Amino acid sequence: MLRITYKEIQAHFDDLFCSINKSQSKAMKKNQLIDALPDGRIKLYSIFRLIQPDGKTEEQLKSDFEQSFQIIEDALKRLNISNSSIVAKNVSKANGVPMLIRQILFFMCYVAYWMEDNAKKKGRIGKSKVTQKYFLDRFGFSHNTWTKWGMRPLQFFQTSAYIQPECPIRYKGQKKGELGFAINNLVYCAGKYDCFLDIFGGSGSASAAVCPIDNKKYLYNEWNPTIYHTIYVLSHEKLHIELIDLLKQIQDDLAEKGHADFLDEFHLYPSKDLIQAIQEREKNGKMKTSTTEKMSKVAKESGLPLVRSWHNLYDFGKEYNRCLRKKLSAGATIQIGKKNYTYDELKFPVDENGNIDVSNYWLDRERQIRIHTVERKLNLQFAGYRLADEEDAAEMGVSIDHDLVNRRWKEELRKEGNAKEFNKLFKDEPFDIKLLSEEQKNKREDEIERLEKRKSNLPEALFDMMHYLILCYWQVFYNLYLSFSPSNDREKVLLAAAHIFLRYMAFQGLDEKSNTRVLYLDDYRSDDYKSALVEKFIQVDYKKLIKDFYKRFRRETLYNKNAIDLVKQYKKGISKEDVIIYSDSPYEGTSGYEKDKTDKFTKKDMEDLIDALVDSKQKFIFSCRAAKGSLSGSKTDDKLKKLNGSILENVFEVFEKYQKKKKIVLYVLAIERKEGKKVLTLADLIRLNKISEIMICNYQVSYIMPYHESIHYQVYTFVDFMDIVRKNMNK
């Protein structure tokens, strides 16, 4: 027997009709008639337990449903709402049906849909198809008994069972998992609507999160033409097939199963010199200077970028200082941010003898950033190499294994007997191995073993045909991405492939304003070279990804407009349709948000957006973070305080102003997390500088079921939310 209280049953029923103002609903007030009966709600609540399907045969369930119908019929008779004949013509009397009876019948219909779907999955198809009409006609209820609130059992079932398709484009911050689940349920909570409009569509993940309903429209908007054209191809009946074929061809080439026909169109098929260099590399097993120089020369002549790994820093420092001295005359400066720097402040560190000092480079993080900013700014390219540093790696979602890097330095310094350099870099560990603790000794042995496994896998330069091909594809697609304006369908497919390829290989690392091209081939998060990005890319099932995404997006209407103009276009009065507007706009500290730049989203744009959303009189969902942070928690510094202060001032206080000025009611859905036995509330997440995702709505949201045992949702009034933010931000 299901152990659940009457209070919990009622809460479950209330969730089915979450968009209704329950204190004012006429049907809700009719519940008083049930409360006046001798046994009140007890028999009606028994239906919840009665129709639970676990462990029952189809005959038992059929009998339980019939018994439930009899309980409802008996309640209607006692309330004098119906008569013993229960005929379908008795439509008008449904207006007097209490909310609890509507909820129970809704729940029964939902369970019936669930059981039918389960039977289909097991290969047992019932003789008759479940319909909402059957449940209503049984008691002569009107067709709008549920739908006048924009809710139907079938819609609730579809929303609950919906699985969001994965987006083929890799982006940070995609609205998937618990975020996609929240968006889907918030749309259901909004009740009646005609259109769902995603005004900052991006990768399409937010739109894909919403379960499509047959009689609704779904609108996607994206201002960036590259992203828009990619989504256009992914949602096109024929072009998405062409894209699948092209990506498969690229994967086959990189796996050395294809013939590089696509690259041949761009005259990038490997030359004899390069093939000879690769063969010499593979034959010798180790990189020889002559091979390296030959391969670098070929790559440089082809305009291909290479990767410099961390242990090339000695050579890099010498060449960097030489080039910088040549570019920067005595007394001249280079501006970085708002400050001007001299040669001495920008050069690679050197010791008292003028030799490259790599130790000081590792210790001075600010100088590292300045050096590689200058390298990009001056477009310094050395022998075809481009140094991909820690900052680049972070941008691309690739983290360098610093423990392993440090261990290599430690072992080399110990081997050289260089205690001075060792103690300068590693103050917390004894130079003498004999003085190590047991824990340090075990860690050292483990890391040495890891280092040996990794040693032969670190990239030196071009090492095989796959490496050459990936560089060729990078060159072709990077040029397409930056300078290509498609004029026909074939070119749109090419641009979509370029976008997907580059986003995979340089996760968040594409800079449309820079001449620098960075490609990271090695994934430092794993000891196994087979998990490198290229190998991972080869294994992606783009056929399934794109087909699943197409099934959801084929019904989307696509816009390539200014988001604020589009909100105004769908303002009530101008548009006759009821629209749910979803906004995931840039804001301070996120990509695409800049101050005083005409080509980026600004503080003024944010105020105009919020004004347009409020003024539209349509329902909206505004997605952002309550404060900047990370999963593990960020350090509270001046930069973080500045970012959070900007979000508070330019986003939340603007909403607060409109709430008071126009007397609108706002609710905030917060995604809260459980760590161990402790639930981190919104206040905890903000105070600890951890990720605190929220969604602001201008309609009532009562409850959303938990996404996972470690992730659940809490609804706050906007007034309470602002109080939490002000009390806990930057503490």
Side-chain angles (χ1 to χ4, degrees):
M1 180 64 69
L2 186 68
R3 294 181 178 274
I4 188 168
T5 66
Y6 292 147
K7 184 178 180 181
E8 289 171 328
I9 292 174
Q10 184 60 59
H12 187 83
F13 288 154
D14 287 343
D15 295 338
L16 305 176
F17 291 80
C18 44
S19 72
I20 301 166
N21 188 329
K22 299 180 177 64
S23 63
Q24 298 176 0
S25 167
K26 292 180 180 179
M28 184 64 70
K29 291 178 180 179
K30 290 286 184 181
N31 281 348
Q32 297 172 5
L33 299 174
I34 296 174
D35 295 331
L37 296 175
D39 53 3
R41 305 170 179 236
I42 295 176
K43 281 193 175 181
L44 289 170
Y45 281 148
S46 69
I47 293 175
F48 183 85
R49 294 189 177 95
L50 190 61
I51 63 171
Q52 295 297 324
D54 296 339
K56 296 179 182 178
T57 65
E58 290 184 21
E59 288 301 317
Q60 287 174 323
L61 285 169
K62 185 176 179 182
S63 173
D64 290 341
F65 265 83
E66 188 58 40
Q67 186 179 340
S68 299
F69 284 138
Q70 293 299 324
I71 292 172
I72 295 173
E73 183 177 346
D74 180 62
L76 291 172
K77 287 179 183 178
R78 293 165 67 192
L79 294 171
N80 202 25
I81 293 174
S82 184
N83 54 47
S84 58
S85 60
I86 310 293
V87 292
K89 295 179 181 179
N90 189 21
V91 173
S92 62
K93 292 185 180 180
N95 294 327
V97 177
M99 177 63 77
L100 179 57
I101 291 179
R102 295 170 189 250
Q103 290 173 321
I104 290 173
L105 201 60
F106 186 107
F107 177 71
M108 289 177 65
C109 188
Y110 159 72
V111 172
Y113 277 118
W114 183 88
M115 290 191 303
E116 181 184 60
D117 182 67
N118 194 47
K120 288 179 181 178
K121 290 176 180 176
K122 293 181 178 179
R124 297 184 292 105
I125 308 298
K127 293 181 179 179
S128 59
K129 184 176 175 61
V130 176
T131 65
Q132 294 166 149
K133 186 175 182 298
Y134 169 79
F135 281 80
L136 295 173
D137 285 353
R138 174 76 187 241
F139 302 100
F141 290 170
S142 167
H143 70 280
N144 70 347
T145 299
W146 302 313
T147 55
K148 68 178 182 178
W149 294 303
M151 296 174 172
R152 299 172 293 135
L154 178 58
Q155 180 186 347
F156 183 71
F157 166 73
Q158 290 172 334
T159 300
S160 302
Y162 180 68
I163 298 175
Q164 178 185 8
E166 185 179 345
C167 178
I169 316 168
R170 274 176 50 144
Y171 273 98
K172 278 189 174 181
Q174 284 192 46
K175 297 301 180 282
K176 57 184 181 180
E178 65 269 21
L179 296 174
F181 185 85
I183 294 168
N184 190 28
N185 281 272
L186 283 175
V187 170
Y188 174 78
C189 291
K192 189 176 181 181
Y193 71 96
D194 300 307
C195 304
F196 174 80
L197 169 60
D198 184 359
I199 57 174
F200 293 93
S203 67
S205 58
S207 291
V210 179
C211 172
I213 305 298
D214 290 341
N215 60 343
K216 313 294 183 187
K217 295 180 182 177
Y218 297 90
L219 316 173
Y220 164 95
N221 179 62
E222 175 53 50
W223 178 247
N224 183 304
T226 302
I227 302 175
Y228 170 81
H229 282 121
T230 303
I231 297 296
Y232 172 82
V233 170
L234 289 169
S235 61
H236 193 280
E237 182 181 6
K238 295 181 180 178
L239 297 186
H240 84 279
I241 300 295
E242 291 184 28
L243 179 61
I244 291 171
D245 292 341
L246 179 54
L247 289 171
K248 183 65 170 66
Q249 182 182 338
I250 297 168
Q251 289 176 315
D252 285 346
D253 283 348
L254 296 179
E256 299 183 47
K257 297 178 182 177
H259 303 287
D261 294 336
F262 174 75
L263 290 177
D264 207 23
E265 295 177 28
F266 293 86
H267 309 291
L268 283 172
Y269 195 75
S271 66
K272 290 182 179 179
D273 284 345
L274 182 62
I275 293 173
Q276 182 183 351
I278 291 172
Q279 289 172 344
E280 184 179 342
R281 162 73 174 96
E282 293 174 340
K283 180 180 178 181
N284 294 331
K286 293 183 178 180
M287 181 64 67
K288 289 187 176 181
T289 303
S290 59
T291 310
T292 305
E293 289 176 353
K294 184 183 294 186
M295 298 171 85
S296 298
K297 179 175 180 292
V298 173
K300 187 176 180 181
E301 289 172 352
S302 302
L304 301 176
L306 299 180
V307 177
R308 180 193 303 279
S309 55
W310 60 269
H311 51 275
N312 298 118
L313 283 175
Y314 287 106
D315 294 336
F316 169 76
K318 291 178 185 177
E319 191 69 10
Y320 170 86
N321 285 350
R322 187 186 69 79
C323 291
L324 182 63
R325 180 78 282 175
K326 188 176 179 181
K327 294 262 187 180
L328 201 61
S329 58
T333 60
I334 293 177
Q335 184 176 355
I336 300 175
K338 296 181 179 180
K339 186 176 177 181
N340 291 319
Y341 293 89
T342 65
Y343 169 81
D344 286 335
E345 292 173 307
L346 295 174
K347 70 181 181 182
F348 200 98
V350 295
D351 60 22
E352 60 271 16
N353 298 317
N355 297 320
I356 294 300
D357 189 345
V358 174
S359 299
N360 275 328
Y361 167 86
W362 285 115
L363 289 171
D364 192 345
R365 173 61 180 148
E366 290 185 5
R367 185 178 285 264
Q368 289 177 40
I369 294 173
R370 289 201 299 270
I371 286 172
H372 300 304
T373 300
V374 169
E375 186 193 3
R376 286 188 287 270
K377 203 176 185 78
L378 300 183
N379 195 25
L380 304 180
Q381 300 279 341
F382 311 116
Y385 283 84
R386 161 74 178 98
L387 177 63
D389 66 2
E390 181 184 358
E391 186 183 38
D392 296 325
E395 288 176 356
M396 286 181 272
V398 178
S399 59
I400 295 176
D401 187 344
H402 284 286
D403 285 341
L404 191 64
V405 171
N406 287 340
R407 175 54 59 193
R408 180 168 184 141
W409 278 107
K410 288 177 185 179
E411 295 306 318
E412 287 185 357
L413 290 172
R414 281 192 176 114
K415 187 176 180 181
E416 295 169 5
N418 193 338
K420 180 181 177 181
E421 288 294 308
F422 184 96
N423 292 329
K424 186 164 60 173
L425 279 170
F426 309 110
K427 298 175 183 178
D428 299 327
E429 184 173 324
F431 177 74
D432 189 344
I433 296 174
K434 295 177 182 178
L435 298 178
L436 293 177
S437 67
E438 286 302 314
E439 183 179 349
Q440 287 174 323
K441 287 179 181 177
N442 292 336
K443 183 178 180 182
R444 175 177 177 268
E445 290 176 2
D446 290 343
E447 290 186 336
I448 290 175
E449 185 179 348
R450 289 174 60 210
L451 181 60
E452 290 303 317
K453 288 181 180 178
R454 176 74 65 79
K455 202 170 183 179
S456 61
N457 295 330
L458 287 171
E460 300 282 354
L462 291 171
F463 52 86
D464 57 21
M465 187 63 72
M466 182 191 75
H467 195 157
Y468 174 79
L469 292 173
I470 196 72
L471 291 169
C472 288
Y473 274 115
W474 178 269
Q475 181 192 37
V476 171
F477 285 145
Y478 193 89
N479 291 337
L480 287 177
Y481 184 82
L482 290 188
S483 60
F484 202 46
S485 180
S487 58
N488 55 52
D489 285 347
R490 169 62 177 169
E491 291 179 350
K492 288 176 183 176
V493 172
L494 284 177
L495 186 59
H499 191 194
I500 290 171
F501 177 89
L502 293 173
R503 278 289 170 185
Y504 195 96
M505 295 297 169
F507 197 23
Q508 290 282 323
L510 294 175
D511 183 357
E512 298 179 22
K513 298 294 182 183
S514 171
N515 292 323
T516 301
R517 297 174 292 177
V518 181
L519 172 63
Y520 234 101
L521 295 182
D522 195 31
D523 185 346
Y524 284 85
R525 291 169 296 182
S526 171
D527 294 325
D528 184 3
Y529 172 70
K530 290 298 182 183
S531 67
L533 285 176
V534 181
E535 293 289 345
K536 289 180 179 179
F537 175 80
I538 290 171
Q539 294 167 16
V540 175
D541 187 353
Y542 278 110
K543 182 176 182 179
K544 183 179 187 309
L545 273 181
I546 293 174
K547 280 189 173 295
D548 288 347
F549 194 81
Y550 166 73
K551 287 177 184 177
R552 172 59 185 84
F553 255 73
R554 63 186 174 186
R555 62 185 301 157
E556 290 281 326
T557 299
L558 306 185
Y559 286 112
N560 181 211
K561 293 186 175 184
N562 177 284
I564 298 171
D565 291 342
L566 198 58
V567 173
K568 293 176 179 177
Q569 178 181 323
Y570 279 92
K571 178 180 177 179
K572 274 196 175 178
I574 296 176
S575 171
K576 295 180 181 179
E577 296 171 307
D578 290 325
V579 183
I580 301 173
I581 303 171
Y582 176 77
S583 172
D584 184 19
S585 69
Y587 53 92
E588 187 80 14
T590 62
S591 176
Y593 184 96
E594 300 288 346
K595 291 182 179 178
D596 306 321
K597 286 191 179 180
T598 56
D599 61 338
K600 295 289 185 180
F601 202 76
T602 65
K603 173 183 174 181
K604 178 65 167 56
D605 292 328
M606 178 62 77
E607 187 164 354
D608 290 345
L609 170 63
I610 295 173
D611 178 67
L613 288 171
V614 173
D615 193 50
S616 72
K617 301 293 191 298
Q618 302 281 18
K619 292 177 180 177
F620 65 76
I621 305 167
F622 183 95
S623 179
C624 66
R625 287 185 181 175
K628 296 296 290 183
S630 64
L631 277 173
S632 58
S634 301
K635 181 181 178 182
T636 301
D637 53 21
D638 291 340
K639 181 180 179 182
L640 184 70
K641 290 179 180 179
K642 184 180 177 182
L643 285 174
N644 285 341
S646 176
I647 295 171
L648 178 62
E649 177 186 352
N650 300 334
V651 181
F652 303 146
E653 288 183 351
V654 176
F655 272 114
E656 188 176 47
K657 177 183 73 174
Y658 282 113
Q659 181 179 237
K660 293 175 181 177
K661 181 180 177 181
K662 302 198 175 182
K663 301 188 185 311
I664 60 171
V665 180
L666 298 174
Y667 294 87
V668 176
L669 179 75
I671 300 176
E672 300 182 334
R673 301 176 182 277
K674 188 176 181 182
E675 290 189 1
K677 295 182 179 180
K678 179 178 173 55
V679 175
L680 296 181
T681 65
L682 178 63
D684 295 328
L685 293 169
I686 295 173
R687 187 175 61 259
L688 297 170
N689 297 331
K690 295 197 172 190
I691 291 176
S692 52
E693 299 279 1
I694 62 159
M695 296 181 190
I696 302 171
C697 309
N698 63 338
Y699 55 89
Q700 184 174 358
V701 180
S702 58
Y703 172 81
I704 292 181
M705 67 183 74
Y707 172 74
H708 185 267
E709 62 179 12
S710 64
I711 295 174
H712 70 277
Y713 307 96
Q714 184 65 44
V715 181
Y716 298 92
T717 65
F718 193 76
V719 174
D720 289 341
F721 165 74
M722 290 298 287
D723 187 49
I724 291 170
V725 170
R726 288 188 171 117
K727 284 181 178 178
N728 294 279
M729 187 177 279
N730 298 327
K731 298 298 183 184

